[in-house]
Amino acid sequence: MNKNNHLNKSSENRKQKKWEKAMVALFVMGVIALLAVLIFYNRSVIMSPLEGIGRKSTSEAGFPVRLPGSTGYSINKFDSGFMLLTETYVYVYDSDGGQRYNKRHSYSEPNAAVADTRILVYDINGKQYSFYGRNGLIYEKETDERILYGAIGEDSSAAIVYKHEVYANTLEIYDGKGDWRYKTKFLDDNIIQIAFTAADKDIIITSMSFKDGDVIAAVHKYDTELEDDSGLWKTELPGNAMPFALHIGRNNAFVVCDKSLLTIDLNDGKILDSYDYKGNLIDYAFSDNSVALLVNDFTAGTVTLISLNGNNKSETVVSSGATQVEFVSGSIYVLEPNTIAVYPTTQLSLPHNRLSLGEEYSRFIQVNNDILLLGYNNVEKLDINNTTENTT
């Protein structure tokens, strides 16, 4: 091969590589945009010995809780109460509605990963993140590379995914005090979700990459105590699956994709089960080894609730205005305009209960025996035990 041909081929290879990276970036940004309207669940255990001692609310308690005048609220269960994230503040409230603390941030695109007693707030495409506990800020950091994604672990670990000039992504993990403990690099795989397992020793990752003109989704397992970028196993997902959510069960990982739900063995990465659905995913929920999906089937003109638990699979048509699904106290709750429809977890049919709300709410969470509802300008409380509006 003469020198000119070699140079031309090298130039073509570089152009092909740049094009592939650009295509992957487009797909990843699409997934991130879709994930922005969904919820990701993780758990944390480590807590400071002095947390909770002498804690007092900083505002008057009671519901409804008036929202502090902002836009773009997100609500999550936190400790015995709840937290709100806005474009300028992190707010933490007790179970009685009293504000425990607030912290101003300067993030352009803030997002939060929330565990039982820990909150990770990070700036998407920015270079800052912060870590909170029961009583306020524990640590905050400024990074050298732009942040794409963050996750929280069972033992207060924080995972931060960065955009990199050479690699597709780099991943770093810090402990509950902010000390570095793990790093790995991804040459072609772009990380979509992360879930911790085995007391934060292992991590499960979903990713997307470009291969032979196709976008390939995969699930990986890594041992954070091993310095090995190849990981313990990697399983490519069938078809053109796009992972929307990842959940760790007792022995399996559940991956909700745009057209299917996959069950994967945590030990070897083998795909144990696959369930296909038709339509666009509206919302999803996990409970132990059960999964609930809320799907808009435009072809049929219906919204469908799907419940899956092992070999038990059931579905039913729900209100066309349904926007959220959750497992609550052994039932499946579906948020509709002005009501919450309550369904059994198996053998779905008509709802066995409807909770009247009186007005529309955008989201709800369960805190103890209460449902907290996020409205336009307040957070309202609904006592599950005192609500008995049956439809049967």
Side-chain angles (χ1 to χ4, degrees):
M1 181 183 295
N2 63 40
K3 184 176 181 180
N4 287 335
N5 287 339
H6 178 76
L7 290 174
N8 288 336
K9 188 171 182 180
S10 298
S11 177
E12 290 175 1
N13 288 338
R14 287 195 298 270
K15 290 179 179 179
Q16 178 69 16
K17 192 68 174 178
K18 288 181 179 179
W19 181 79
E20 290 181 357
K21 287 186 176 181
M23 290 297 294
V24 171
L26 280 174
F27 275 92
V28 171
M29 291 306 294
V31 172
I32 291 174
L34 289 168
L35 288 173
V37 299
L38 303 176
I39 299 239
F40 197 98
Y41 304 85
N42 287 299
R43 199 169 183 272
S44 168
V45 197
I46 291 182
M47 59 190 74
S48 170
L50 296 179
E51 283 191 339
I53 297 177
R55 185 173 62 233
K56 295 182 179 179
S57 294
T58 62
S59 69
E60 185 177 349
F63 286 90
V65 174
R66 296 295 176 185
L67 297 181
S70 189
T71 59
Y73 292 98
S74 64
I75 186 171
N76 287 277
K77 183 182 183 303
F78 177 72
D79 196 18
S80 60
F82 66 100
M83 64 82 65
L84 293 171
L85 176 66
T86 76
E87 79 277 13
T88 52
Y89 274 91
V90 178
Y91 296 94
V92 172
Y93 295 83
D94 287 312
S95 59
D96 61 1
Q99 189 182 119
R100 188 181 302 180
Y101 66 81
N102 65 73
K103 171 71 174 178
R104 186 179 179 87
H105 65 75
S106 58
Y107 302 165
S108 298
E109 195 174 347
N111 201 4
V114 184
D116 283 352
T117 59
R118 295 291 184 267
I119 304 169
L120 171 66
V121 180
Y122 56 96
D123 193 5
I124 299 177
N125 286 319
K127 295 185 176 183
Q128 291 179 306
Y129 69 93
S130 46
F131 199 73
Y132 300 83
R134 283 188 169 116
N135 295 324
L137 181 68
I138 297 175
Y139 68 83
E140 55 188 340
K141 290 182 180 290
E142 187 158 344
T143 67
D144 295 327
E145 298 171 328
R146 295 194 179 278
I147 299 169
L148 295 176
Y149 175 77
I152 252 183
E154 298 171 336
D155 278 352
S156 294
S157 294
I160 305 294
V161 179
Y162 302 99
K163 186 183 297 184
H164 196 273
E165 292 183 359
V166 177
Y167 303 98
N169 291 155
T170 57
L171 163 67
E172 291 190 331
I173 295 176
Y174 300 85
D175 65 18
K177 296 180 181 179
D179 295 328
W180 178 91
R181 55 175 289 252
Y182 178 76
K183 181 176 182 177
T184 190
K185 302 177 291 293
F186 296 82
L187 182 61
D188 299 309
D189 293 295
N190 294 264
I191 297 174
I192 306 299
Q193 293 107 9
I194 298 173
F196 287 84
T197 185
D200 291 4
K201 176 179 177 292
D202 299 336
I203 51 174
I204 307 298
I205 293 172
T206 63
S207 71
M208 295 181 68
S209 61
F210 199 86
K211 181 180 180 181
D212 298 330
D214 295 320
V215 172
I216 303 298
V219 180
H220 318 240
K221 182 178 181 179
Y222 288 84
D223 184 334
T224 63
E225 294 180 355
L226 300 178
E227 295 183 5
D228 183 4
D229 289 341
S230 62
L232 299 177
W233 51 256
K234 177 180 178 180
T235 300
E236 291 190 356
L237 304 186
N240 294 314
M242 183 178 292
F244 281 168
L246 171 66
H247 175 73
I248 305 302
R250 293 188 184 95
N251 302 304
N252 305 320
F254 299 95
V255 183
V256 179
C257 299
D258 54 333
K259 301 298 178 184
S260 63
L261 169 71
L262 303 173
T263 304
I264 298 176
D265 191 299
L266 285 176
N267 292 321
D268 56 16
K270 180 181 179 181
I271 298 177
L272 301 175
D273 192 20
S274 176
Y275 176 85
D276 296 331
Y277 63 87
K278 295 180 180 179
N280 292 343
L281 184 67
I282 298 174
D283 197 26
Y284 60 88
F286 301 105
S287 176
D288 295 329
N289 282 340
S290 296
V291 183
L293 306 177
L294 197 58
V295 178
N296 190 345
D297 187 345
F298 289 107
T299 303
T302 59
V303 174
T304 303
L305 171 64
I306 304 169
S307 174
L308 305 105
N309 185 335
N311 294 325
N312 189 339
K313 300 177 177 66
S314 180
E315 63 180 63
T316 188
V317 174
V318 300
S319 167
S320 60
T323 57
Q324 182 187 355
V325 60
E326 293 289 346
F327 287 96
V328 177
S329 300
S331 297
I332 299 177
Y333 280 41
V334 176
L335 180 64
E336 304 173 350
N338 302 108
T339 62
I340 292 179
V342 183
Y343 295 85
T345 56
T346 58
Q347 302 301 317
L348 297 176
S349 57
L350 295 175
H352 59 72
N353 197 4
R354 282 189 182 274
L355 314 182
S356 179
L357 303 181
E359 61 180 277
E360 291 192 20
Y361 294 92
S362 61
R363 202 81 187 165
F364 74 89
I365 59 174
Q366 181 186 8
V367 177
N368 302 318
N369 291 321
D370 298 319
I371 292 292
L372 300 187
L373 300 133
L374 179 64
Y376 177 74
N377 58 7
N378 64 21
V379 174
E380 187 58 274
K381 181 171 71 172
L382 186 67
D383 189 333
I384 301 172
N385 295 331
N386 292 336
T387 308
T388 57
E389 186 182 335
N390 294 311
T391 60
T392 57

